Amino acid sequence: VSFTSLDMFGVSLAAIGMLSTLTTALTIDVFGPVSDNAGGIAEMAELPETVREVTDSLDAAGNTTAAIGKGFAIGSACLVGLALFGAFVKRCDLTAKEVSVLDPVIFSFLLIGAMMPYWFS
């Protein structure tokens, strides 16, 4: 909908909208390890079994929220990457045929560009 209405500016706005809630998504993502550590501490402190049951249920909820947070992070990263690529294409005045992923040369250099951070890290 955003691309149909406003072209690449709409995609950029959608990416900014997702990234504006990033602090909430990161907070949700952190809940899992915190509740898991609480369960480990309860076990090492030899607390009653009822405490461990509570921390296990919190850990299950934490695993669910961590999975939701990861999906959110991947989705926002894809939108930002699409917006950056669209801005590059617009700025360089390229046509759709010049940046076609079906062209073997362009596709191979896209793969090489995607591998560059791993080569230097």
Side-chain angles (χ1 to χ4, degrees):
V1 173
S2 59
F3 180 74
T4 306
S5 303
L6 298 171
D7 202 27
M8 286 309 295
F9 181 66
V11 174
S12 301
L13 287 178
I16 293 294
M18 284 188 78
L19 289 175
S20 66
T21 59
L22 186 64
T23 54
T24 305
L26 289 176
T27 304
I28 288 172
D29 198 22
V30 168
F31 181 71
V34 170
S35 60
D36 187 38
N37 288 344
I41 292 170
E43 190 173 326
M44 288 186 288
E46 297 178 358
L47 294 176
E49 189 62 32
T50 57
V51 174
R52 186 64 183 158
E53 289 172 7
V54 170
T55 57
D56 283 345
S57 64
L58 288 173
D59 186 35
N63 291 338
T64 303
T65 57
I68 292 169
K70 284 176 183 30
F72 182 85
I74 291 169
S76 62
C78 288
L79 272 177
V80 169
L82 179 64
L84 285 173
F85 183 71
F88 170 75
V89 168
K90 288 276 192 190
R91 183 76 175 153
C92 294
D93 290 329
L94 299 173
T95 62
K97 188 173 183 170
E98 293 172 327
V99 291
S100 174
V101 181
L102 299 176
D103 183 11
V105 174
I106 292 174
F107 184 72
S108 62
F109 277 100
L110 280 173
L111 289 178
I112 291 169
M115 289 187 280
M116 291 287 263
Y118 300 105
W119 283 339
F120 292 108
S121 63

